[in-house]
């Protein structure tokens, strides 16, 4: 099949030749009309083929490249099916026994821009983030069915008018998944993101190893992922705090599922207030807030938010205690995050050491040519 051509302006092809998958509107000579697949072939000013991508007319990133190739490539159903199957084979090698939920497709990190697929047992939850991927929904659904997933749920972004719902047979709203042998109840429909924060799997496991005999405070706990790992690691008591009542109910349910109710307490509250007012001390504190900054303009305000919670945590951590602190804002770089935490440490007047520098799990790979994919930053701090 022949796709319409998108021509890049002279001098604007450099980042593409280095495999960065985004084309900004200013780099394009003219945008071609496309059919329902929104797919174009991309050429440089001398008409040399660069690759294939999805057009998104209303976005600043007008095209996202899914295939870099100097030679014509057939992009048809078998192309997509093969790509999803390859992602599955690759991810399966990374996922250990005792885990049946993982990220099967991580957009640019899996060379499938605009597409996120998280799997939970027999159910796959998809986020279509671009028109081009939305138009592929039948093909994606068939590929997932052929991999053995029975139910497929589409969670589309709020700004789109694409259907949110089951693609085909309706599955149950809740499913209980296993992660490193622990049980978690996931609300596939009403839960945040696709239902569970799969990107923290490795970090939760690390936390477990530090939890023995510790009194733990899990801030922005969502459904208690870190809390359950702390409990299995031998924490004496864990408090989960989240602004969402539903999340806290789910955290309580997860404590029950793993038989840890006696040592767990869930509180629905704003963590900024909660932390500021606290005087009680903890041995281990987790700070995993939502992305405070959605664009580059909100970086200063977001930085103040991160500093605020980190400073509060440093005030109530026991001597020799640990803080697991995270930022999942794409626009807060690793370097900036460490500077913000440095600011909090300096204001607290306490001695602080970095024990670990953390990132997202390997099922959320970072395409080296797309550094924007390095979104989850974490530090494990020892506070003296
Ligand atoms: N650590 C969690 C994921 C946290 S996601 C895990 O491993 O599963 C961020 C959470 O912060 C969400 O559950 C959201 O409801 C909560 N949240 C957002 N703003 C908040 C606030 N001001 N106070 C407390 N919780 C908040």
């Amino acid at each position: 099949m022949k796709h319409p051509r998108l021509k890049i302006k002279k001098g604007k092809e450099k980042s593409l030749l280095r495999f960065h998958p985004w084309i900004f509107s200013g780099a394009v000579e003219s945008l071609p009309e496309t059919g329902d697949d929104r797919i174009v072939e991309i050429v440089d000013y001398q008409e040399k083929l660069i690759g294939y991508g999805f057009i998104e007319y209303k976005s600043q990133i007008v095209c996202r490249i899914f295939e870099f190739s100097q030679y014509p490539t057939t992009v048809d159903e078998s192309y997509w099916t093969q790509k999803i199957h390859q992602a599955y084979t690759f991810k399966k090698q990374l996922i250990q026994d005792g885990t049946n939920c993982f990220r099967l497709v991580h957009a640019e990190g899996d060379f499938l821009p605009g597409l996120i697929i998280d799997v939970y047992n027999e159910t796959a939850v998809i986020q279509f983030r671009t028109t081009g991927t939305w138009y592929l929904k039948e093909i994606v659904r068939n590929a997932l069915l052929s991999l053995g997933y029975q139910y497929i749920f589409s969670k589309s972004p709020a700004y789109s008018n694409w259907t949110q719902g089951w693609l085909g047979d309706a599955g149950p709203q809740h499913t209980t998944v296993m992660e490193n042998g622990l049980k978690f109840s996931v609300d596939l429909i009403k839960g945040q993101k696709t239902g569970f924060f799969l990107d923290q799997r490795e970090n939760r496991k690390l936390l477990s190893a530090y939890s023995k005999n510790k009194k733990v405070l899990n801030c922005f706990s969502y459904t208690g992922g870190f809390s359950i790992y702390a409990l299995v690691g031998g924490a004496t008591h864990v408090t989960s705090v989240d602004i969402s009542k539903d999340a806290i109910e789910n955290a309580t349910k997860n404590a029950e599922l793993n038989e840890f109710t006696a040592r767990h307490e869930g509180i629905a509250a704003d963590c900024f207030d909660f932390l500021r007012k606290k005087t009680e001390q903890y041995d281990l504190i987790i700070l995993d807030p939502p992305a405070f900054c959605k664009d580059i303009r909100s970086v200063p305000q977001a930085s103040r938010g991160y500093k605020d919670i980190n400073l509060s945590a440093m005030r109530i951590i026991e001597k020799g205690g640990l803080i697991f602190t995270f930022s999942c804002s794409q626009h807060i770089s690793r370097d900036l995050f460490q500077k913000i935490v440095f600011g909090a440490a300096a204001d607290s007047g306490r001695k602080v050491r970095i024990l670990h520098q953390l990132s997202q799990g390997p099922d959320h790979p970072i395409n080296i040519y797309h550094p924007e994919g390095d979104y989850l930053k974490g530090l494990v701090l020892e506070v003296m």
Side-chain angles (χ1 to χ4, degrees):
M1 194 169 49
K2 198 91 181 100
H3 303 285
R5 293 199 137 180
L6 182 153
K7 201 166 168 178
I8 301 295
K9 284 184 192 157
K10 188 172 179 192
K12 296 284 187 185
E13 69 287 349
K14 292 201 183 88
S15 71
L16 305 180
L17 297 176
R18 269 185 262 116
F19 307 121
H20 192 286
W22 292 351
I23 304 177
F24 290 91
S25 47
V28 177
E29 195 134 289
S30 66
L31 279 181
E33 296 243 344
T34 57
D36 264 3
D37 62 2
R38 290 286 202 279
I39 293 173
V40 285
E41 63 174 41
I42 300 132
V43 294
D44 70 6
Y45 69 102
Q46 290 173 313
E47 309 270 323
K48 226 174 92 198
L49 186 60
I50 295 175
Y52 298 82
F54 294 119
I55 277 210
E56 188 70 16
Y57 288 107
K58 285 186 188 144
S59 171
Q60 258 205 321
I61 306 169
V62 285
C63 184
R64 287 164 198 255
I65 304 181
F66 54 80
E67 178 76 42
F68 283 95
S69 173
Q70 295 168 308
Y71 306 102
T73 304
T74 308
V75 180
D76 56 7
E77 175 154 6
S78 82
Y79 171 88
W80 296 113
T81 307
Q82 206 185 343
K83 248 182 146 167
I84 292 171
H85 279 235
Q86 272 168 359
Y88 177 81
T89 310
F90 174 66
K91 297 296 168 77
K92 276 299 232 189
Q93 297 167 35
L94 305 173
I95 301 302
Q96 277 138 26
D97 288 351
T99 298
N100 63 11
C101 50
F102 59 92
R103 180 153 290 188
L104 172 55
V105 171
H106 183 55
E108 279 84 354
D110 283 311
F111 314 111
L112 280 158
L115 188 65
I116 299 282
I117 306 177
D118 286 343
V119 295
Y120 298 98
N121 279 333
E122 70 292 352
T123 304
V125 182
I126 312 178
Q127 287 184 321
F128 295 102
R129 294 184 170 176
T130 52
T131 314
T133 54
W134 172 245
Y135 284 142
L136 286 177
K137 61 185 179 301
E138 275 306 309
I139 293 177
V140 174
R141 176 176 166 264
N142 290 338
L144 290 167
L145 291 172
S146 72
L147 287 170
Y149 295 100
Q150 282 177 44
Y151 307 111
I152 293 138
F153 192 77
S154 152
K155 268 203 166 175
S156 299
Y159 58 79
S160 73
N161 49 14
W162 308 330
T163 331
Q164 161 139 327
W166 297 101
L167 301 177
D169 292 350
Q173 178 173 352
H174 298 271
T175 186
T176 299
V177 294
M178 292 277 275
E179 191 187 81
N180 290 315
L182 298 170
K183 292 186 196 130
F184 293 96
S185 171
V186 177
D187 185 335
L188 299 163
I189 298 178
K190 293 208 186 117
Q192 296 183 32
K193 295 278 173 65
T194 64
F196 198 51
F197 290 82
L198 300 166
D199 51 359
Q200 290 282 23
R201 182 193 317 105
E202 307 293 320
N203 303 330
R204 291 192 275 252
K205 198 171 168 187
L206 179 71
L207 174 107
S208 186
Y210 281 112
S211 301
K212 200 164 176 59
N213 297 327
K214 301 276 167 70
K215 185 173 149 200
V216 179
L217 175 62
N218 183 5
C219 295
F220 308 91
S221 67
Y222 187 48
T223 57
F226 280 102
S227 306
I228 305 302
Y229 277 76
L231 289 160
V232 79
T236 51
H237 191 266
V238 179
T239 307
S240 302
V241 188
D242 198 284
I243 202 154
S244 152
K245 277 203 183 89
D246 288 345
I248 289 298
E249 272 171 29
N250 198 339
T252 307
K253 187 170 167 187
N254 287 335
E256 278 163 23
L257 274 174
N258 296 283
E259 298 176 18
F260 289 130
T261 14
R263 290 185 281 140
H264 179 259
E265 176 192 14
I267 300 175
D270 179 310
C271 283
F272 284 88
D273 283 352
F274 183 90
L275 278 165
R276 259 184 236 131
K277 288 182 193 145
K278 264 277 149 188
T279 47
E280 192 182 340
Q281 302 238 306
Y282 294 88
D283 304 305
L284 209 172
I285 299 177
I286 300 118
L287 302 171
D288 184 23
F292 287 156
C293 108
K294 302 281 181 213
D295 54 44
I296 205 91
R297 275 166 309 182
S298 51
V299 168
Q301 198 193 343
S303 305
R304 284 193 289 277
Y306 288 115
K307 184 171 172 191
D308 184 335
I309 54 174
N310 280 279
L311 178 56
S312 298
M314 285 172 191
R315 286 198 169 125
I316 57 166
I317 192 87
E318 285 281 4
K319 195 168 161 49
L322 299 182
I323 301 177
F324 278 61
T325 182
F326 296 95
S327 161
C328 60
S329 299
Q330 195 210 91
H331 298 284
I332 303 275
S333 66
R334 231 163 245 287
D335 187 42
L336 176 57
F337 184 54
Q338 191 164 317
K339 286 197 174 103
I340 296 167
V341 176
F342 166 90
D347 283 8
S348 76
R350 302 192 58 178
K351 296 200 180 65
V352 177
R353 294 196 281 185
I354 297 172
L355 308 189
H356 297 269
Q357 314 219 16
L358 306 175
S359 183
Q360 65 239 36
D363 51 337
H364 296 62
I366 304 157
N367 176 348
I368 203 160
Y369 303 109
H370 180 251
E372 295 86 345
D374 183 13
Y375 69 98
L376 183 63
K377 296 107 199 170
L379 295 169
V380 180
L381 309 171
E382 183 206 29
V383 184
M384 303 299 284

